[in-house]
């Protein structure tokens, strides 16, 4: 599923008020963290993940791995914050049409 620009704008507006739910620690991206991201996406659909990293390339690689492993859509990246969206089995957000 690929998000349209209109849908991304809608999700960015919704994400603005959210606080990061997942904070990566010193161990980086572990199976436990990915499990938490999966659970949080199923429960919330829209999610902020904080990826603190000094190296920009490493941070971007971690964010891409999260998007790929979670089978989610990247809505936006602002600094160390990654905003993800994945439709849940019981949809909570109604996206605007294309």
């Amino acid at each position: 599923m690929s998000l349209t620009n209109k849908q991304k704008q809608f999700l960015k507006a919704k994400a603005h008020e959210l606080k990061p739910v997942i904070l990566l620690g010193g161990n980086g991206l572990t199976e436990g963290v990915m499990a938490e991201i999966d659970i949080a996406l199923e429960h919330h659909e829209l999610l902020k993940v904080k990826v603190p990293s000094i190296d920009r390339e490493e941070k971007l690689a971690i964010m891409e791995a999260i998007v790929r492993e979670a089978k989610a859509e990247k809505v936006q990246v602002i600094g160390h914050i990654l905003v993800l969206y994945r439709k849940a089995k019981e949809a909570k957000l109604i996206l605007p049409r294309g």
Side-chain angles (χ1 to χ4, degrees), residues 23-94:
L23 304 163
L24 264 65
N27 293 334
L29 187 60
T30 63
E31 286 184 28
V33 172
M34 279 310 303
E36 286 298 317
I37 290 172
D38 195 50
I39 291 167
L41 278 170
E42 189 58 41
H43 187 261
H44 299 289
E45 287 187 320
L46 187 62
L47 173 68
K48 281 186 177 178
V49 179
K50 187 168 185 177
V51 182
S53 176
I54 297 168
D55 183 36
R56 186 171 190 260
E57 305 260 333
E58 179 186 7
K59 177 182 70 174
L60 293 175
I62 290 171
M63 288 181 176
E64 290 303 318
I66 291 171
V67 171
R68 184 179 58 250
E69 294 296 318
K71 295 176 180 64
E73 293 287 330
K74 177 172 69 174
V75 176
Q76 80 182 131
V77 174
I78 300 176
H80 296 285
I81 305 294
L82 169 65
V83 180
L84 294 173
Y85 171 77
R86 186 177 73 196
K87 188 173 182 176
K89 290 179 181 85
E90 293 180 27
K92 291 151 186 70
L93 294 172
I94 306 298

Side-chain angles (χ1 to χ4, degrees), residues 10-19 46 48 76 83:
F10 172 80
L11 292 171
K12 286 177 187 179
K14 289 283 188 189
H16 183 72
E17 62 203 37
L18 299 177
K19 299 278 186 235
L46 187 62
K48 281 186 177 178
Q76 80 182 131
V83 180

